[in-house]
Structure formats: C-alpha cells, structure tokens
Amino acid sequence: ISENELIRRYAVNRSRLQHLLGQIAEEGWVERLPGHGWLFGSTLNSGEAYARAYQFRAVIESQAILQPAFKVDPDALREARTEQQDLLDGAMFTLPRTRLFEINANFHETIVSWSNNGFFLDALRRINRLRRLMEYRVGGGRGRLKEQCEEHIVFLDMLAVDRREEAAHFLRTHIDRAWQSKDRAMDVAR
C-alpha cells in the first residue's frame, strides 16, 4: 500500500504516518518498499494463527535446548530465577500487563539464546513481536501467572543441573498449557 493511500484513508499527515509506520516496522508487521510503499506481512489476526504461533514456539524453544552448542549462562540463569521469584513474591499483581509480557518474552528469549544459534532466537523474537498485541487483547487475567512463574523456576532448576531432555519436554508442555489458557480466554472474549 502507498503512503498516499494511507494518508487519504486515515486522514493523517505524512509525518505522523511515517512515524507510525516506522514503529510498526520495528515490530515486524510492515516492510518498507522502494519509494513510498509498504508491504504488510503476516500477523496473528485470528485464533488459528495465534494457535500456530504457540505450536511453533513449542517446537523451536524445546529444540533449542537440545542443540549441541546449548550452554547455560549461570549469571543469566540466576537473574531469571530471581526475577521469577520476585513475580511470585507479589510483583505479578502490581506490574502492568505490558511489563509482564516483556518479562515473559525475555525469559524465553534468554533460554533460546543459550542455544548459540541465532536462527532460533530470531524466529522467537519475530513471533514475540507478532503476538504482543494479541496477548494484550486476549489477556486472560493474571490467574495463570503464579503457575507460570513456578513452572519457570522448575524449568530453570532442570537446566541448572543439565537435565536438558527433561527440560525440553517440560518446556513444550509449559507452552502448550499457556496456549490452552489463552485459548480459553479467547473463547470468553468471543
């Protein structure tokens, strides 16, 4: 779509439009074409696409742990465990949902980064950017947060003692449960 068409359609000035397009380009939803055109990419605009994003995450995150080059960063592991414990100690009830999403996304991206394979990490970051808005919309309350943080700590404890096979299976189940929770929240929202 051209910038001129967007300006006409949404009655916005070019400066504001370019600023907004720049922001959503950073999120990976749109790509600048030569000239003044933009190409909108795939987004998570349906329940089916959202489910597929979770399926994809379950596969790549669990497989990242099993990669030969996977190596836990002990300092990052301690930091992640402390952050999860802080959430359990009450921060989960006071932080805004946007911050909770960032903490969760960063947790999973940190684990995947230990695979030392940038392709896994790039793919997860892209999915996280795409699912951000859907996560805010679906929400689902804070009911599963306690269980999620507890699972994160159990998972980190497995990695701390190099039980990667078990951790990979646990993580896949964890992501599946997270999806089931989101799917139920989507049913309620419909």
Side-chain angles (χ1 to χ4, degrees):
I1 192 166
S2 73
E3 286 181 12
N4 287 336
E5 188 174 341
L6 289 169
I7 289 168
R8 280 190 302 277
R9 182 179 294 174
Y10 296 106
V12 63
N13 68 47
R14 186 172 304 278
S15 173
R16 177 76 176 135
L17 176 68
Q18 288 175 336
H19 174 74
L20 290 170
L21 288 170
Q23 284 181 312
I24 63 174
E26 286 178 25
E27 295 292 329
W29 306 337
V30 68
E31 178 182 333
R32 185 178 200 71
L33 297 174
H36 295 284
W38 294 84
L39 175 66
F40 284 81
S42 61
T43 61
L44 303 181
N45 58 3
S46 71
E48 184 178 335
Y50 194 46
R52 287 185 178 153
Y54 269 85
Q55 292 164 357
F56 182 75
R57 283 185 58 213
V59 169
I60 66 163
E61 290 186 44
S62 61
Q63 286 303 304
I65 295 167
L66 300 175
Q67 295 305 297
F70 185 89
K71 184 168 178 14
V72 171
D73 176 334
D75 293 334
L77 186 139
R78 271 190 302 281
E79 287 174 28
R81 197 175 197 295
T82 298
E83 189 167 50
Q84 294 301 307
Q85 189 61 55
D86 288 346
L87 289 170
L88 281 171
D89 290 343
M92 72 174 79
F93 301 111
T94 59
L95 292 173
R97 285 180 29 192
T98 54
R99 180 67 183 125
L100 291 171
F101 177 84
E102 290 171 11
I103 290 170
N104 185 59
N106 186 57
F107 175 88
H108 287 270
E109 289 173 11
T110 296
I111 303 306
V112 169
S113 76
W114 297 342
S115 72
N116 291 297
N117 184 326
F119 293 107
F120 283 99
L121 186 56
D122 288 346
L124 180 58
R125 284 181 174 154
R126 176 161 170 72
I127 287 294
N128 282 340
R129 284 192 308 266
L130 291 174
R131 75 183 178 93
R132 178 177 287 120
L133 285 180
M134 186 69 105
E135 292 281 333
Y136 296 161
R137 191 177 128 225
V138 171
R142 296 175 190 245
R144 178 151 154 68
L145 281 176
K146 180 179 185 291
E147 182 182 355
Q148 176 182 298
C149 293
E150 290 168 345
E151 289 173 4
H152 284 171
I153 289 172
V154 168
F155 171 70
L156 289 170
D157 290 347
M158 287 177 194
L159 290 179
V161 294
D162 199 33
R163 292 177 13 216
R164 291 195 293 149
E165 290 277 341
E166 186 180 350
H169 177 74
F170 185 88
L171 181 60
R172 191 176 189 118
T173 302
H174 166 77
I175 293 170
D176 287 343
R177 271 196 298 268
W179 163 245
Q180 290 167 5
S181 171
K182 299 296 180 183
D183 192 35
R184 282 190 300 275
M186 286 175 65
D187 284 342
V188 169
R190 286 182 210 148

